[in-house]
Amino acid sequence: MSGNKAVVYNGVGKVAVKDIGYPDLVLRDGPGVNPLNVGRKCEHGVILKVVTTNICGSDQHMVRGRTTAPEGLVLGHEITGEVIEVGRDVEYIKKGDLVSVPFNIACGRCQMCKEQKTHVCLNVNPDRPGSAYGYVDMGGWVGGQSEYVMVPYADFQLLKFPDKEQAMEKILDLTMLSDIFPTGFHGAYSAGVKSGSTVYVAGAGPVGLAAAHSAQLLGASAVIVGDLNPERLTQARSFGCETIDLSQHDNLGEQIEQILGEPVVDAAVDCVGFEAHGHGHGHSEAPATVLNAIMDVTQVGGRLGIPGLYVTGDPGGVDEDAKIGSLKIRFGLGWAKAHTFVTGQTPVMQYHRGLMKMILHGKAQIAKAVNATLISIDEAPNGYADFDKGAAKKFVIDPHGSVRR
């Protein structure tokens, strides 16, 4: 095989579908690949025929020019696929297996991996702990919005679906296991959501919707979702969430009080990140808004789950501080209220097997919650454009037409 269509970052606001060549079990030089990773042999890896791969809000940050991603970077870190080639050192994953790929790349050998902190593996990114496919400053591992992709450390990382036929019947749910379902769940879980909790989720994009559904699965008595986009709020209401239109209201506590009878919640989750806007009419970008708002409305002693992405380099930041990820956060408020903050990438492997079982046994309907919408790889540029306009959809790319319509 030689051809391999892939979705590529083509400059600010642009993506294109290009042939990048069939992968092998070596990390070759290319856009964004760390020079110290070039030539890295991966006989512990596999080649996947990609069955589904999803467009993520994190990809959108790069496409908007809000990171230092280089042109030509192959996008995509949410990957589900069939194993078609196995490296010499792979023992337990076999050709024909249908698998979910955690977006964190992890070796399974370092101290962090042994402590289940696979989001900060020490061996996959020469610049700093932690890595991901198709993402800026993450070591340069080639993205998976493609027909074929190489995945390293296969025995350790890959989640094999026990029954391929059953998995294909639920593939629009299972494709969310690579990132947004574990990420949303991690946000709710790390915020301390439990039976009876009242929860505020900032952001009704796919991760926010996944966090809201996860809070329901964890037993929350009320889940409130806030956003500036009425269409996305309608999607949140479609599976039982209360909502607040933040384009119309600038006092979050007052709106929560109208719903709960008090202006505070037990737990809060930030699913917006560094491109946050202020609240109310005439809102504009104000990156610390969400973090300050959730401190304000979370009860004393509460926990804040923060799966929303924050970066150390943002060329489009609103001021010089924002461009290096320095935000004006009311940390004294969080300290005074004895809040617990949980940040960083989600360690997918802590959650994906349990969430898979919830999907396969009909307990979780994540595809419905995030409005999973199937597109071809050639439609990916339009999917990015629609997502950037605020479409209340989670776009799932089907590179080979494998998914039954």
Side-chain angles (χ1 to χ4, degrees):
M1 280 184 229
S2 58
N4 183 18
K5 281 185 179 181
V7 182
V8 174
Y9 172 58
N10 220 24
V12 178
K14 301 175 185 177
V15 296
V17 178
K18 297 183 178 181
D19 192 325
I20 62 169
Y22 188 76
D24 56 14
L25 296 173
V26 177
L27 183 53
R28 306 292 185 186
D29 197 8
V33 178
N34 190 302
L36 296 175
N37 261 349
V38 173
R40 188 166 179 162
K41 293 179 173 59
C42 297
E43 289 293 344
H44 43 64
V46 298
I47 307 297
L48 296 184
K49 178 182 179 181
V50 177
V51 173
T52 53
T53 175
N54 316 324
I55 297 175
C56 179
S58 298
D59 301 320
Q60 201 67 269
H61 291 306
M62 290 187 290
V63 173
R64 290 190 189 114
R66 298 300 298 267
T67 71
T68 56
E71 291 188 24
L73 185 75
V74 181
L75 299 166
H77 54 270
E78 301 188 12
I79 308 164
T80 305
E82 181 183 0
V83 178
I84 59 173
E85 184 179 333
V86 177
R88 179 195 62 211
D89 299 333
V90 177
E91 290 188 70
Y92 307 113
I93 294 293
K94 307 298 182 186
K95 286 184 182 180
D97 287 348
L98 186 62
V99 297
S100 177
V101 183
F103 80 90
N104 326 106
I105 301 172
C107 71
R109 298 153 167 81
C110 71
Q111 177 187 348
M112 293 298 104
C113 285
K114 290 177 180 178
E115 293 177 0
Q116 293 191 314
K117 299 173 184 175
T118 53
H119 55 312
V120 283
C121 174
L122 302 176
N123 290 331
V124 288
N125 183 355
D127 285 339
R128 61 178 185 234
S131 192
Y133 303 89
Y135 210 82
V136 60
D137 296 332
M138 286 290 188
W141 298 87
V142 179
Q145 286 175 14
S146 55
E147 294 178 302
Y148 304 94
V149 67
M150 188 268 283
V151 174
Y153 304 106
D155 278 332
F156 176 64
Q157 294 192 103
L158 295 182
L159 176 66
K160 176 184 171 182
F161 300 136
D163 184 300
K164 287 177 69 174
E165 184 175 342
Q166 180 193 28
M168 288 304 296
E169 290 291 327
K170 292 181 175 286
I171 196 66
L172 289 182
D173 292 287
L174 294 170
T175 190
M176 306 304 167
L177 291 173
S178 56
D179 181 358
I180 69 160
F181 197 10
T183 294
F185 192 90
H186 177 64
Y189 182 80
S190 61
V193 178
K194 57 186 178 181
S195 179
S197 293
T198 57
V199 185
Y200 175 67
V201 176
V207 169
L209 297 172
H213 185 45
S214 297
Q216 293 172 333
L217 294 172
L218 287 165
S221 59
V223 180
I224 304 168
V225 179
D227 201 283
L228 300 163
N229 182 325
E231 183 182 351
R232 288 181 168 181
L233 292 173
T234 297
Q235 179 62 27
R237 288 193 295 274
S238 74
F239 60 96
C241 299
E242 302 282 355
T243 61
I244 298 173
D245 185 345
L246 295 169
S247 70
Q248 304 300 313
H249 306 284
D250 59 7
N251 191 314
L252 179 59
E254 285 183 358
Q255 297 305 306
I256 289 175
E257 186 171 21
Q258 289 188 20
I259 296 168
L260 299 179
E262 57 181 352
V264 295
V265 291
D266 297 319
V269 189
D270 172 7
C271 297
V272 179
F274 73 103
E275 287 193 64
H277 278 230
H279 301 161
H281 300 287
H283 59 82
S284 59
E285 188 166 323
T289 296
V290 171
L291 291 171
N292 288 328
I294 62 175
M295 280 190 280
D296 190 47
V297 301
T298 301
Q299 69 169 354
V300 171
R303 298 171 65 91
L304 312 178
I306 309 174
L309 175 66
Y310 289 87
V311 295
T312 56
D314 174 12
V318 294
D319 54 37
E320 293 306 310
D321 284 337
K323 288 178 181 179
I324 59 170
S326 181
L327 308 181
K328 293 181 180 178
I329 298 169
R330 294 185 64 199
F331 190 72
L333 176 62
W335 190 94
K337 296 179 76 173
H339 283 158
T340 298
F341 299 76
V342 181
T343 66
Q345 288 186 42
T346 297
V348 169
M349 292 180 67
Q350 288 188 23
Y351 304 106
H352 65 176
R353 186 173 301 277
L355 295 177
M356 174 187 73
K357 291 179 180 179
M358 295 190 81
I359 290 169
L360 294 178
H361 293 284
K363 301 299 183 184
Q365 288 80 40
I366 186 64
K368 177 182 176 183
V370 302
N371 194 17
T373 302
L374 207 61
I375 60 174
S376 70
I377 195 166
D378 292 320
E379 293 172 309
N382 289 334
Y384 269 94
D386 289 346
F387 192 38
D388 191 50
K389 294 173 185 173
K393 299 176 181 179
K394 175 69 172 177
F395 288 105
V396 178
I397 299 169
D398 176 9
H400 296 277
S402 306
V403 181
R404 189 169 66 192
R405 265 51 176 181

